[in-house]
């Protein structure tokens, strides 16, 4: 790891001004992605600005007005998976968080770090897409449709800090993941949610970043059955192809996991 | 930079560079070589310690991130004469061969038991396997490790009930 200067500000404002003054800074949350990348010299910031002291980024709460669940960016995956509020009001979030990596990673890695990084195989992005999330930064709100742009690319500017994410509470939802057996990352992950305004299907792992599978949504809005998905074509154009899985196989997985999700939800009701 | 970390109950003031890893402070500056480095790429779990009560991979934490924190290593849970129940269970069940992964396995296993107890979750063999996903063993084939964790968990929970 190259050398760098380390800062641990105690407010959003001082984090932002440290960022503005440094030559080539990066923010640090759980470090589960950034520290390994720095060891491999894939990242070499001049300054690391550790966000872990920011109280503004903590907490899990239910919002009064629109009844959404707000999760602070610094909340680690295990704190989401074990949150009594989440388990009661939006258990699918615990399902997603509990499926990430391994226990040690879930004790450090955070929601904010995961979505800012936007790894194509990360789990959280499928949940944001399926649960109509809104991403809050220090000074603006971004709808999830505008947030995930491309491979490791989001609507965030370098100096932006993810503060919290709001998730809509659907009538029912489930997450199905084909887990890479070694890394734990999603080869493909599909989150299906039934909201008052229709079905949402959030897909991760398949493309360069998470996306809505609109054709699958249309089919399920017509008929919420596994058979309805048979007729839908999931083109693999632009899908990821690597040593783990071909684009064609990933497209197949999108459908298989969607069917499993539908079967799961139908069996619960 | 100077950082103060409480390690196994004792406050340690150490001088570190910003890019020093927690595991290197433990092993090289404090001589606590029970915590092992198997991969240095966050995969194997041999470097697992407790940071403020939770299992983490100390090869992926900067020493400066542990400023003010409580760290417990394998040396902090028991001694040769007075083994922690989880250490004793690994011995009884033959849960180790070369022993390289064992300190990390035991620290993770204790976290798993604490977690299950605090949330009254059952710790069956599936839950143990899921809980040990971040720990790799090149020797045992895991069977006896899972048996050891189940035994250690049973002993810890009967101890907790007795207390
Ligand atoms: C062994 C292993 C297995 C894993 N398996 C999975 C898996 O199965 N599924 C999965 O989804 N992930 C997995 N991960 C990744 C893990 O979930 C990471 O925690 C996550 O991707 C990044 O979160 P972090 O808090 O560690 O971020 P960091 O590593 O601290 O930061 C990541 C990036 O985000 C930026 N950043 C951090 N916080 C903010 C913020 N609040 N605002 C703006 N920018 C920010 C940083 O500058 C950096 O560029 C795995 C990681 C490891 C090491
Ligand atoms: S040495 Fe830390 S995970 Fe392998
Ligand atoms: S006992 Fe040798 S690596 Fe586990």
């Amino acid at each position: 790891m190259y050398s760098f200067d380390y800062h641990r500000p105690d407010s959003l404002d001082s984090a932002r001004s440290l960022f503005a003054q440094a030559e080539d800074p990066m923010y640090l949350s759980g470090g589960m992605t950034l520290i390994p990348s720095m060891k491999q010299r894939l990242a070499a910031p001049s300054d690391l600005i550790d966000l872990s002291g920011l109280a503004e980024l903590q907490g899990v709460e239910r919002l009064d007005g629109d009844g959404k669940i707000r999760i602070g960016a610094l909340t680690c995956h295990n704190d989401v998976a074990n949150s009594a509020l989440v388990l009661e009001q939006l258990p699918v979030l615990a399902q997603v968080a509990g499926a990430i990596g391994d226990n040690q990673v879930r004790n450090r890695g955070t929601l904010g770090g995961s979505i800012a990084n936007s790894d194509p195989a990360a789990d959280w992005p499928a949940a944001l897409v399926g649960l109509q999330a809104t991403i809050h930064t220090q000074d603006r709100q971004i709808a999830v449709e505008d947030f995930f742009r491309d491979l490791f690319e989001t609507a965030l500017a370098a100096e932006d800090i993810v503060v919290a994410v709001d998730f809509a509470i659907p009538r029912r939802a489930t997450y199905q993941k084909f887990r890479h057996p070694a890394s734990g990352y999603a080869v493909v992950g599909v989150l299906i949610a039934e909201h008052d305004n229709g079905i949402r299907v959030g897909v991760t792992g398949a493309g360069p970043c998470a996306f809505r599978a609109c054709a699958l949504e249309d089919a399920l809005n017509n008929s919420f059955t596994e058979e309805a998905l048979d007729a839908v074509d999931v083109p693999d154009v632009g899908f990821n192809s690597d040593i783990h899985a071909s684009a064609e196989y990933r497209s197949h997985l999108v459908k298989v996991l969607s069917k499993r999700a539908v079967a799961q939800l139908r069996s619960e009701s | 930079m100077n950082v103060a970390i409480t390690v196994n109950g004792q406050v340690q003031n150490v001088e570190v560079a910003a890019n020093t890893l927690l595991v290197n402070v433990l092993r090289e500056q404090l001589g606590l070589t029970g915590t092992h480095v198997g991969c240095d790429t966050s995969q194997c779990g041999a470097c697992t310690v407790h940071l403020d009560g939770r299992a983490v991979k100390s090869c992926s934490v900067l020493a400066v991130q542990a400023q003010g924190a409580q760290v417990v290593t394998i040396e902090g849970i028991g001694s040769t004469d007075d083994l922690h129940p989880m250490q004793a269970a690994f011995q009884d069940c033959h849960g180790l061969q070369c022993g390289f992964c064992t300190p990390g396995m035991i620290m993770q296993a204790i976290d798993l038991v604490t977690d299950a107890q605090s949330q009254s979750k059952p710790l069956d063999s599936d839950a143990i396997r899921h809980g040990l996903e971040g720990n790799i063993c090149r020797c045992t084939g895991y069977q006896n490790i899972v048996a050891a964790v189940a035994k250690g968990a049973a002993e810890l929970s009967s101890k907790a009930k007795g207390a």
Side-chain angles (χ1 to χ4, degrees):
Chain A
M1 211 186 305
Y2 290 112
S3 61
F4 53 85
D5 287 332
Y6 172 84
H7 315 269
R8 194 174 180 201
D10 55 13
S11 73
L12 259 178
D13 287 344
S14 60
R16 298 259 304 161
S17 68
L18 282 164
F19 196 99
Q21 285 154 28
E23 188 189 327
D24 190 12
M26 285 182 84
Y27 296 118
L28 173 71
S29 285
M32 290 296 101
T33 294
L34 187 49
I35 292 173
S37 318
M38 289 172 65
K39 286 188 186 177
Q40 294 179 58
R41 300 189 168 180
L42 295 172
S46 65
D47 293 74
L48 267 192
I49 302 169
D50 184 349
L51 302 177
S52 66
L54 304 193
E56 298 101 319
L57 273 59
Q58 310 274 3
V60 176
E61 60 180 314
R62 172 147 192 172
L63 303 176
D64 291 337
D66 48 12
K68 292 186 171 181
I69 297 281
R70 172 167 297 177
I71 304 209
L74 269 177
T75 314
C76 73
H77 310 321
N78 264 347
D79 281 351
V80 179
N82 298 331
S83 154
L85 182 77
V86 166
L87 288 166
E88 193 199 300
Q89 310 254 344
L90 192 48
V92 71
L93 288 185
Q95 202 193 344
V96 172
I100 294 175
D102 55 58
N103 184 64
Q104 293 95 320
V105 167
R106 291 192 294 274
N107 274 338
R108 295 289 294 167
T110 67
L111 170 62
S114 176
I115 67 167
N117 190 50
S118 185
D119 189 299
D123 293 288
W124 274 124
L128 270 71
V129 172
L131 300 171
Q132 306 180 333
T134 306
I135 297 94
H136 296 262
T137 71
Q138 69 289 338
D139 54 13
R140 64 196 165 114
Q141 298 183 14
I142 307 169
V144 67
E145 283 78 7
D146 305 321
F147 188 79
F148 296 109
R149 294 267 172 90
D150 206 343
L151 199 66
F152 297 107
E153 206 182 299
T154 67
L156 297 171
E159 68 274 17
D160 283 340
I161 296 177
V162 178
V163 172
V165 180
D166 292 349
F167 295 92
I169 301 183
R171 292 189 200 139
R172 51 186 179 161
T174 189
Y175 181 58
Q176 298 291 326
K177 168 180 184 180
F178 190 88
R179 202 187 141 78
H180 186 277
S183 73
Y185 276 97
V187 177
V188 171
V190 176
L191 188 138
I192 297 192
E194 185 192 356
H195 297 271
D196 291 340
N197 59 357
I199 303 290
R200 279 284 181 120
V201 180
V203 178
T204 192
C209 63
F211 61 90
R212 270 177 81 176
C214 297
L216 297 175
E217 291 179 2
D218 291 345
L220 292 172
N221 276 322
N222 268 330
S223 155
F224 197 75
T225 57
E226 292 166 73
E227 295 72 43
L229 296 173
D230 282 326
V232 185
D233 189 32
V234 180
D236 61 15
V237 185
F239 274 17
N240 307 325
S241 198
D242 53 32
I243 55 165
H244 308 307
S246 65
E248 185 189 2
Y249 183 56
R250 283 192 160 90
S251 147
H252 174 71
L253 282 178
V254 170
K255 207 137 143 189
V256 170
L257 295 171
S258 298
K259 285 188 178 180
R260 282 187 197 164
V262 170
Q264 173 73 32
L265 290 171
R266 283 172 57 95
S267 75
E268 283 168 7
S269 57
Chain B
M1 301 175 80
N2 190 273
V3 295
I5 311 174
T6 305
V7 181
N8 300 331
Q10 265 193 316
V11 181
Q12 303 280 357
N13 283 288
V14 284
E15 201 46 46
V16 298
N19 61 2
T20 305
L21 299 168
L22 176 59
V23 70
N24 293 338
V25 168
L26 297 172
R27 288 179 57 84
E28 287 155 27
Q29 286 176 264
L30 303 177
L32 297 169
T33 51
T35 303
H36 293 164
V37 179
C39 65
D40 201 27
T41 54
S42 332
Q43 316 294 319
C44 76
C47 63
T48 302
V49 301
H50 295 172
L51 180 66
D52 287 333
R54 307 176 89 161
V56 303
K57 293 174 178 172
S58 62
C59 74
S60 306
V61 177
L62 300 171
V64 287
Q65 288 177 288
Q67 160 64 34
Q70 298 272 346
V71 173
V72 177
T73 70
I74 189 77
E75 290 89 348
I77 61 162
S79 64
T80 317
D81 302 328
D82 184 18
L83 293 179
H84 184 281
M86 192 59 80
Q87 290 175 307
F90 269 70
Q91 189 176 49
D92 294 345
C93 299
H94 201 70
L96 61 147
Q97 290 179 22
C98 79
F100 192 84
C101 69
T102 316
M105 286 284 178
I106 289 176
M107 297 313 280
Q108 170 49 27
I110 294 171
D111 180 90
L112 198 56
V113 175
T114 317
D115 216 41
Q117 280 175 353
S118 72
Q119 290 163 65
S120 324
K121 279 193 293 206
L123 202 53
D124 56 15
S125 113
D126 280 351
I128 293 172
R129 285 172 192 278
H130 179 62
L132 295 179
E133 264 161 3
N135 295 75
I136 293 174
C137 175
R138 300 297 302 269
C139 303
T140 63
Y142 301 99
Q143 214 65 12
N144 288 353
I145 293 179
V146 176
V149 176
K151 181 168 187 195
E155 254 143 55
L156 286 167
S157 71
S158 67
K159 239 176 132 176
K161 278 183 200 124

